[in-house]
Amino acid sequence: MADALIEERAALLGIDISQIGLDSIQLPPGEDFGIESDDEDLYREDNLELDTGLGNVIIVDNLPVVPCEKFEKLEGVIHKIYSQIGVIKDDGLWMPVDPDIEKTRGYCFIEYNTPQEAELAKEKTNGYKLDRSHIFAVSMFEDFDRFMRVPDEWAPPETKPYTPGENLQQWLTDEKARDQFVIRAGSDTEVLWNDARQLKPEPVHRRPFWTESFVQWSPLGTYLATVHRQGSAVWGGASTFNRLVRYAHAQVKLIDFSPGEKYLVTYSSHEPSNPRDPQRVVINIFDVRTGKIMRDFKGSAGDFAAGGTGAVTWPIFRWGEGREDKYFARIGKSVVSVYETETFSLIDKKSLKVENVMDFCWSPTDPILALFVPELGGGNQPARVSLVQIPSKEELRQKNLFSVSDCKMYWQSNGDYLAVKVDRYTKTKKSTYTGFELFRIKERDIPIEVLELENKNDKIIAFAWEPKGHRFAVIHGDGPRPDVSFYSMRSGNNTGRVSKLTTLKGKQANALFWSPAGRYIILAGLKNFNGQLEFYNVDELETMATAEHFMATDIEWDPTGRYVATAVTSVHEMENGFNIWSFNGKLLYRILKDHFFQFSWRPRPPSLLSPEKEEEIAKNLKKCSKKYEAEDQDVSMLLSEQDREKRRMLKDEWAKWVSRWKQMHEEEKLERQNLSDGEASDEEEEYKAKEVEVEELLDVSEEVLSFDYEE
Amino acid sequence: MRPILMKGHERPLTFLKYNREGDLLFSCAKDHTPTVWFADNGERLGTYRGHNGAVWCCDVSRDSMRLITGSADTTAKLWSVQNGTQLFTFNFDSPARSVDFSIGDKLAVITTDPFMELPSAIHIKRIARDPADQTSESVHVLRGHQGRIARAVWGPLNRTIISAGEDAVIRIWDSETGKLLRESDKETGHKKAITSLAKSVDGSHFVTGSQDKSAKLWDIRTLTLIKTYATERPVNAVTMSPLLDHVVLGGGQDASAVTMTDHRAGKFEAKFFDKILQEEIGGVKGHFGPINALAFNPDGKSFSSGGEDGYVRLHHFDPDYFNIKI
């Protein structure tokens, strides 16, 4: 519309717009002629805080008031305290003196090289006791203005009228019950419907430069989180994706939602100005809906390293008690710190002391922690795995293990079982072998069972529980083609014993992907196996299909277990893109995209149906599915109809084009003949293909054959 | 049918050309000797010796008497097809990249690469009936392409010349005046260097292959885009079936990256597309390097492909091919 207006106006003034290079026009400074820049909303939304350049200055108050003679001594003391924290600029320490009484005024300014140092100094020395009557009050110079502006009178906060928000779960009401996914390729991030019936994705929303590093769905699928230099943001909405909340955290690198998506944990690490100092780590926990910081953690990288390994493993905070988001915990040196979200402080105000704890994990549903402690004192004290109830911190069960080299814990998704993979040294201590300790959490006294593979020396390549089920799969073996075994925690009539279901020999697989609904599993050969896929039905113990997505790097089931996506991401240069398969291994469609970075299904919240109701549906599945089958057929009829129509159109179009050409070609016939010296024109068959048979005599030899006449 | 593997070249193939009757196949390669083969059984008939550099392109006259070749030794040569003698040599200041006889074989268009300070150019030469009268004078020299010109061919009635190359733009020139008539649209055109160009048998349209992993079909008069064929690999060679509405694309991963991955990753297939529906029909595997050259026999019953691997593969179609329905 605006364009039309401009053109109209230009015509009025007699200007030919097409002759003007729009890029060459320069507006007078400060004048925008009412044209809004695309970036304008940036300026409008945040009152950009200008960098005053004083971010590296702090004010230290509550200093002793000293006469001039002692001035230098006090200055020396302060300098000594504050130069330990960071580099004070030359002449960066200024202590004003009251000329009337010739005494200091009891405060000073310190200027550091960097704002980070200033911040650190404030953190470390605020409340520092010089002596009993002089406790430092340290604040940032920049904050001072803010403090001065606090009105003396309290004014009641304005109550804003309630405005109903959008339905953030609109996508669940899709009539065709489709699922969404997000992809990142090149600079674009795109959310699409997986329209398996139409055998193609349907775009929902697309934005270039939506995020600066990656995107992440919240665990229930309500939000899509993006990561930027200034912080993180979440997006969502009924029909499209609007920015809902922003979480300021400069240089944020990693984010993590709590399982009930109430909280967002953000992480950043900063290079210290002094290379000898450890990296500084900042972690913020935000309330997702309000955007308020609930708690922040600051410290050096070492403070957050798990089990004393020195490396920070993400997520640092692990959330417990399922979707309640009630507890979160992190591991430190010989401690596990468990926080509760009501107060965002440690339970009982102290961490759980566990000597030398190496690893921990929460039950996915209950407030139970599983801890692993390695052997101590050269084997005098055995390694152990223990289950601890929170918040009582009571030990529910413990198992001692001997000559252990490593342990890995795997929870079943309902928290019914815990499998501990134990690598043990052989007697000679030269090699290790693997066994499993299986805990039945929901049974009385939590019985433990030991499972060893038939061939004890097999390496375990992968382990995976069936979601919501009682079975698990293991890839084991030493050779290039390992075996895959399936076990069940129930056997026949005895529900208390683990039993093997089957072993598949010699599979090209190194990763396991159970359907989220259980029953089906993909045995995948990624990396060295070039993307071999085997779709296996564990109920029937049969292979449904084998396929290959060449070079596949990622596999993800959709949240309903109906479809699977396999993707080749930009770790490979070639083949970038993704395939969508049905659960039984039929390739539905294939999209190629260069520089493909990420594929992620939008999660769904858990079903609201009761287990009884679900069972009822499963029983009457045939009846229910009739309606959908009819719909499917309609769609496929429509599709093939559309397809035929499209093809017919294309063919007609082409025929029209060709006939037009032929006519012109005919008109030019004479001219063409002249060009080629009157030789009768081109396409006519003025020569005949003749088959020439050439017989070549290669060799002649004579042989005398004898015949036996027999009557 | 099993393809016939023709081993005669020592270096990567660059170009393939059938004569009008379709009984002879001419091949050019980075070794210095263009070769002629029986198109039926792949037997080698002879070579044309005399070039001193890679031979990039060739064309054969309608009566199969003359062969013209363009070479990196900065010459284009006219040969007697029958006995392999050199009839004439056109000397240039830079490598000759593409050659094409006009309708009637009285003119030829030769393109030269940019070299040192010299820009690329399209030269139009008169071809004399009697080789004794042949001169090296150019009728016209057309300049305006950025970078290398991959191919230049004659338009309808020899009135225009169509050229395409590294700058991803297709240009139509007036062959009489040397004026630029049309340029392909930036929006719809190729995004990366054009590597090949092939005319349809009736000369009504042509197809271009590009490193942007697509091939496009154009109207030869109006230069309007008619179709686009998308693949997964850079396209080095294109051709069209004279019999059926099929387009064949050849290419593959860049030769320099071939050894670094699995052979299947290269996708060195000749891909068949339905010309009208733009849908992929199938592929012919076999080469273990990118395909650099493709040519259809004028009878439409066989085609040949030449690869970076130095082989020419001659494929005669099975009867099933002619019944493909999609």
Side-chain angles (χ1 to χ4, degrees):
Chain A
M1 193 189 80
D3 287 353
L5 277 176
I6 294 168
E7 273 165 31
E8 197 177 299
R9 176 127 184 89
L12 213 69
L13 297 169
I15 301 168
D16 184 2
I17 276 201
S18 60
Q19 297 297 314
I20 298 172
L22 289 176
D23 294 328
S24 66
I25 298 175
Q26 284 200 350
L27 299 180
E31 174 64 90
D32 62 1
F33 292 98
I35 303 166
E36 230 170 63
S37 150
D38 295 341
D39 307 329
E40 207 99 335
D41 68 318
L42 265 181
Y43 298 107
R44 227 181 308 116
E45 283 186 28
D46 359 76
N47 291 316
L48 272 188
E49 272 185 38
L50 290 175
D51 189 0
T52 51
L54 294 171
N56 50 349
V57 179
I58 56 170
I59 304 170
V60 185
D61 203 356
N62 276 351
L63 296 178
V65 176
V66 295
C68 286
E69 308 86 74
K70 285 188 169 176
F71 181 90
E72 270 182 28
K73 191 173 177 202
L74 181 61
E75 201 180 44
V77 169
I78 293 168
H79 200 276
K80 199 172 160 193
I81 294 169
Y82 283 93
S83 60
Q84 283 172 355
I85 294 162
V87 183
I88 299 175
K89 277 195 177 172
D90 295 345
D91 296 331
L93 176 63
W94 182 53
M95 193 155 41
V97 177
D98 192 337
D100 294 343
I101 50 171
E102 301 209 327
K103 279 184 177 175
T104 61
R105 288 175 189 250
Y107 56 84
C108 75
F109 301 89
I110 299 170
E111 187 177 5
Y112 279 105
N113 262 336
T114 63
Q116 282 84 12
E117 284 169 323
E119 180 121 356
L120 195 67
K122 177 194 147 194
E123 243 169 70
K124 282 203 171 170
T125 61
N126 193 16
Y128 179 89
K129 282 184 189 167
L130 189 67
D131 54 43
R132 192 176 296 178
S133 53
H134 295 104
I135 299 169
F136 286 4
V138 186
S139 44
M140 303 294 290
F141 186 83
E142 279 191 335
D143 291 341
F144 218 75
D145 251 1
R146 202 151 49 85
F147 296 149
M148 296 303 289
R149 253 186 285 145
V150 174
D152 293 335
E153 295 266 318
W154 180 81
E158 261 180 73
T159 40
K160 282 186 192 154
Y162 169 74
T163 46
E166 282 181 277
N167 178 5
L168 297 180
Q169 294 184 320
Q170 183 85 29
W171 98 97
L172 291 170
T173 60
D174 180 47
E175 263 179 29
K176 297 178 206 158
R178 299 170 298 183
D179 276 293
Q180 287 188 349
F181 57 86
V182 63
I183 55 170
R184 266 185 331 113
S187 56
D188 282 353
T189 303
E190 208 174 340
V191 178
L192 302 142
W193 289 109
N194 167 33
D195 206 329
R197 271 183 186 157
Q198 313 265 4
L199 300 181
K200 63 174 187 222
E202 191 192 311
V204 179
H205 190 71
R206 174 180 146 154
R207 245 178 122 97
F209 306 105
W210 200 349
T211 177
E212 274 172 47
S213 51
F214 61 94
V215 291
Q216 189 173 328
W217 293 106
S218 63
L220 305 181
T222 315
Y223 310 104
L224 182 70
T226 55
V227 178
H228 308 269
R229 215 156 10 110
Q230 305 90 331
S232 181
V234 296
W235 305 70
S239 51
T240 178
F241 281 82
N242 300 315
R243 186 167 53 216
L244 302 172
V245 191
R246 282 194 279 193
Y247 312 96
H249 185 158
Q251 257 98 50
V252 57
K253 285 218 177 68
L254 297 164
I255 59 172
D256 183 37
F257 281 98
S258 66
E261 63 183 34
K262 285 202 191 85
Y263 305 104
L264 178 75
V265 188
T266 58
Y267 165 92
S268 66
S269 65
H270 304 270
E271 290 299 327
S273 57
N274 182 347
R276 275 170 302 148
D277 292 345
Q279 274 198 341
R280 264 172 60 75
V281 166
V282 179
I283 297 167
N284 290 325
I285 302 180
F286 293 93
D287 184 303
V288 168
R289 271 175 299 184
T290 62
K292 223 169 80 184
I293 291 194
M294 304 308 290
R295 170 99 199 230
D296 61 345
F297 296 87
K298 291 176 186 171
S300 70
D303 298 346
F304 293 97
T309 50
V312 174
T313 54
W314 189 253
I316 289 171
F317 289 105
R318 299 180 201 166
W319 294 83
E321 171 103 75
R323 295 196 191 82
E324 305 294 316
D325 289 350
K326 232 163 144 182
Y327 305 108
F328 60 102
R330 74 178 171 97
I331 192 168
K333 287 190 182 84
S334 295
V335 288
V336 175
S337 310
V338 186
Y339 303 81
E340 53 158 345
T341 53
E342 217 160 289
T343 58
F344 275 88
S345 57
L346 286 168
I347 290 181
D348 302 340
K349 303 217 165 56
K350 57 177 186 264
S351 298
L352 193 61
K353 283 236 179 328
V354 186
E355 202 57 40
N356 249 338
V357 61
M358 268 289 277
D359 194 12
F360 82 101
C361 56
W362 286 97
S363 154
T365 50
D366 303 299
I368 298 174
L369 270 177
L371 306 169
F372 165 60
V373 182
E375 273 173 41
L376 286 177
N380 284 338
Q381 202 178 323
R384 70 173 203 271
V385 170
S386 58
L387 298 173
V388 177
Q389 178 92 45
I390 298 296
S392 64
K393 300 188 181 175
E394 174 192 338
E395 194 161 72
L396 295 175
R397 192 78 163 87
Q398 181 188 344
K399 169 92 181 186
N400 288 337
L401 303 160
F402 295 91
S403 47
V404 169
S405 82
D406 196 17
C407 264
K408 275 243 153 55
M409 295 175 279
Y410 302 93
W411 282 94
Q412 186 259 5
S413 70
N414 287 355
D416 291 346
Y417 311 109
L418 169 69
V420 181
K421 189 186 95 179
V422 187
D423 294 336
R424 289 189 175 87
Y425 292 111
T426 51
K427 276 200 180 125
T428 57
K429 295 243 172 190
K430 275 183 183 145
S431 58
T432 60
Y433 65 96
T434 308
F436 291 96
E437 307 280 331
L438 303 165
F439 292 68
R440 296 171 189 272
I441 308 293
K442 297 281 159 83
E443 281 169 38
R444 221 172 73 105
D445 295 338
I446 311 185
I448 302 173
E449 207 171 336
V450 181
L451 172 72
E452 275 180 357
L453 296 174
E454 276 147 44
N455 183 357
K456 285 212 306 195
N457 294 326
D458 273 1
K459 266 205 201 81
I460 305 295
I461 296 161
F463 175 96
W465 282 103
E466 175 181 36
K468 300 177 197 158
H470 56 91
R471 293 176 287 207
F472 60 89
V474 183
I475 305 182
H476 56 95
D478 273 328
R481 281 167 168 264
D483 299 341
V484 184
S485 294
F486 294 95
Y487 293 87
S488 168
M489 293 299 282
R490 303 175 193 154
S491 52
N493 35 24
N494 184 356
T495 53
R497 274 200 65 77
V498 64
S499 66
K500 191 166 95 170
L501 299 172
T502 187
T503 295
L504 312 171
K505 294 269 181 208
K507 290 287 170 198
Q508 290 199 339
N510 51 19
L512 297 164
F513 296 92
W514 281 96
S515 155
R519 189 166 170 194
Y520 306 110
I521 190 171
I522 295 177
L523 317 174
L526 305 177
K527 291 177 194 144
N528 296 338
F529 288 130
N530 279 337
Q532 296 292 332
L533 308 170
E534 182 165 344
F535 295 78
Y536 194 80
N537 181 339
V538 184
D539 273 5
E540 310 291 330
L541 297 179
E542 64 180 15
T543 300
M544 297 184 290
T546 51
E548 184 191 51
H549 182 187
F550 187 60
M551 306 290 249
T553 54
D554 294 274
I555 296 180
E556 199 179 320
W557 283 88
D558 86 333
T560 60
R562 294 176 296 173
Y563 304 104
V564 190
T566 58
V568 180
T569 57
S570 58
V571 292
H572 293 300
E573 211 173 302
M574 295 287 166
E575 312 280 340
N576 279 201
F578 64 93
N579 287 2
I580 303 286
W581 310 75
S582 69
F583 74 96
N584 52 4
K586 193 174 147 225
L587 179 62
L588 299 177
Y589 59 91
R590 174 176 167 79
I591 305 282
L592 292 169
K593 289 222 182 245
D594 273 353
H595 305 288
F596 191 74
F597 299 116
Q598 198 183 356
F599 181 102
S600 183
W601 290 101
R602 187 173 196 170
R604 280 170 179 262
S607 163
L608 297 172
L609 296 174
S610 62
E612 294 82 44
K613 188 85 185 159
E614 266 181 50
E615 208 165 295
E616 194 189 311
I617 293 172
K619 228 186 253 164
N620 302 324
L621 193 63
K622 279 236 168 73
K623 233 192 278 163
C624 302
S625 64
K626 258 205 188 106
K627 175 182 147 207
Y628 297 103
E629 268 163 26
E631 265 176 43
D632 277 359
Q633 198 159 5
D634 286 351
V635 170
S636 84
M637 291 271 275
L638 188 73
L639 266 188
S640 56
E641 185 54 44
Q642 278 172 352
D643 215 33
R644 263 202 299 278
E645 183 63 20
K646 202 179 110 202
R647 284 175 181 205
R648 208 179 49 77
M649 232 170 63
L650 282 172
K651 287 218 159 118
D652 284 355
E653 217 170 277
W654 179 258
K656 231 192 271 164
W657 187 85
V658 167
S659 73
R660 225 176 26 240
W661 158 265
K662 281 237 169 84
Q663 195 188 334
M664 239 187 293
H665 202 58
E666 201 56 35
E667 286 163 16
E668 290 167 350
K669 191 170 177 178
L670 201 68
E671 237 173 302
R672 207 163 34 247
Q673 271 186 16
N674 288 340
L675 276 176
S676 42
D677 297 329
E679 226 179 288
S681 189
D682 7 53
E683 55 267 26
E684 293 87 278
E685 291 272 324
E686 89 261 35
Y687 66 90
K688 283 253 158 60
K690 204 161 61 179
E691 291 253 330
V692 186
E693 267 185 42
V694 185
E695 269 184 41
E696 262 180 75
L697 212 55
L698 294 173
D699 191 18
V700 181
S701 64
E702 270 182 38
E703 251 177 80
V704 182
L705 298 170
S706 64
F707 291 92
D708 294 326
Y709 293 99
E710 276 174 47
E711 283 296 304
Chain B
M1 216 162 80
R2 251 183 104 81
I4 299 167
L5 196 59
M6 292 141 77
K7 305 171 193 169
H9 287 289
E10 293 163 1
R11 299 285 317 276
L13 269 288
T14 55
F15 197 77
L16 291 166
K17 177 87 192 173
Y18 282 92
N19 68 341
R20 196 170 109 83
E21 284 83 1
D23 61 337
L24 299 179
L25 172 65
F26 297 87
S27 64
C28 304
K30 286 187 184 167
D31 59 20
H32 307 165
T33 44
T35 303
V36 59
W37 316 75
F38 275 124
D40 188 45
N41 57 9
E43 197 178 318
R44 185 159 69 167
L45 198 57
T47 54
Y48 299 89
R49 288 178 185 277
H51 272 301
N52 207 6
V55 181
W56 291 122
C57 190
C58 71
D59 194 16
V60 60
S61 66
R62 183 184 160 92
D63 55 9
S64 300
M65 298 298 284
R66 305 270 191 87
L67 180 74
I68 186 168
T69 54
S71 162
D73 64 2
T74 72
T75 65
K77 286 178 192 288
L78 278 171
W79 309 81
S80 159
V81 169
Q82 239 165 341
N83 52 25
T85 49
Q86 281 182 48
L87 302 176
F88 192 79
T89 301
F90 298 100
N91 285 302
F92 299 98
D93 299 323
S94 61
R97 174 71 53 172
S98 112
V99 291
D100 192 47
F101 279 127
S102 70
I103 304 170
D105 300 326
K106 289 198 219 64
L107 295 164
V109 57
I110 304 168
T111 68
T112 52
D113 283 353
F115 189 63
M116 310 288 274
E117 304 287 275
L118 236 60
S120 58
I122 304 170
H123 307 261
I124 302 173
K125 304 276 185 190
R126 219 175 280 288
I127 303 294
R129 185 120 283 230
D130 184 352
D133 304 337
Q134 183 66 46
T135 61
S136 59
E137 257 174 83
S138 290
V139 183
H140 275 296
V141 179
L142 316 176
R143 291 183 216 275
H145 265 281
Q146 301 293 315
R148 196 179 278 166
I149 301 167
R151 190 117 169 82
V153 297
W154 291 93
L157 300 177
N158 296 347
R159 281 186 191 146
T160 55
I161 286 173
I162 297 98
S163 66
E166 252 176 357
D167 57 5
V169 180
I170 303 166
R171 292 182 172 82
I172 295 191
W173 312 78
D174 188 315
S175 60
E176 317 235 307
T177 63
K179 267 209 309 217
L180 179 64
L181 298 178
R182 285 174 208 279
E183 277 189 20
S184 62
D185 191 37
K186 280 245 163 52
E187 283 294 302
T188 58
H190 284 295
K191 300 285 178 284
K192 285 189 185 164
I194 297 171
T195 51
S196 53
L197 187 160
K199 280 200 289 182
S200 70
V201 74
D202 62 359
S204 64
H205 52 281
F206 64 94
V207 60
T208 52
S210 160
Q211 286 179 348
D212 67 7
K213 304 181 183 174
S214 74
K216 289 175 187 284
L217 192 80
W218 309 82
D219 185 319
I220 207 164
R221 287 172 202 270
T222 60
L223 200 57
T224 41
L225 180 72
I226 307 176
K227 305 280 178 192
T228 299
Y229 313 95
T231 77
E232 299 156 27
R233 291 285 175 274
V235 180
N236 296 343
V238 287
T239 188
M240 280 183 277
S241 165
L243 204 60
L244 302 172
D245 282 324
H246 291 172
V247 178
V248 188
L249 315 182
Q253 188 179 12
D254 200 27
S256 61
V258 165
T259 52
M260 300 188 325
T261 44
D262 192 285
H263 67 99
R264 285 175 299 173
K267 296 266 163 73
F268 310 126
E269 280 176 82
K271 284 249 156 101
F272 279 67
F273 280 78
D274 189 290
K275 193 198 273 181
I276 302 165
L277 306 178
Q278 308 176 85
E279 280 168 44
E280 193 179 317
I281 306 169
V284 178
K285 292 179 191 167
H287 281 287
F288 48 90
I291 294 175
N292 290 342
L294 281 169
F296 241 101
N297 192 308
D299 68 6
K301 289 174 184 158
S302 64
F303 82 102
S304 52
S305 55
E308 188 78 15
D309 55 11
Y311 291 122
V312 179
R313 299 174 75 91
L314 182 59
H315 308 264
H316 290 277
F317 292 114
D318 291 327
D320 297 348
Y321 166 76
F322 301 99
N323 302 326
I324 295 174
K325 284 257 156 41
I326 64 164

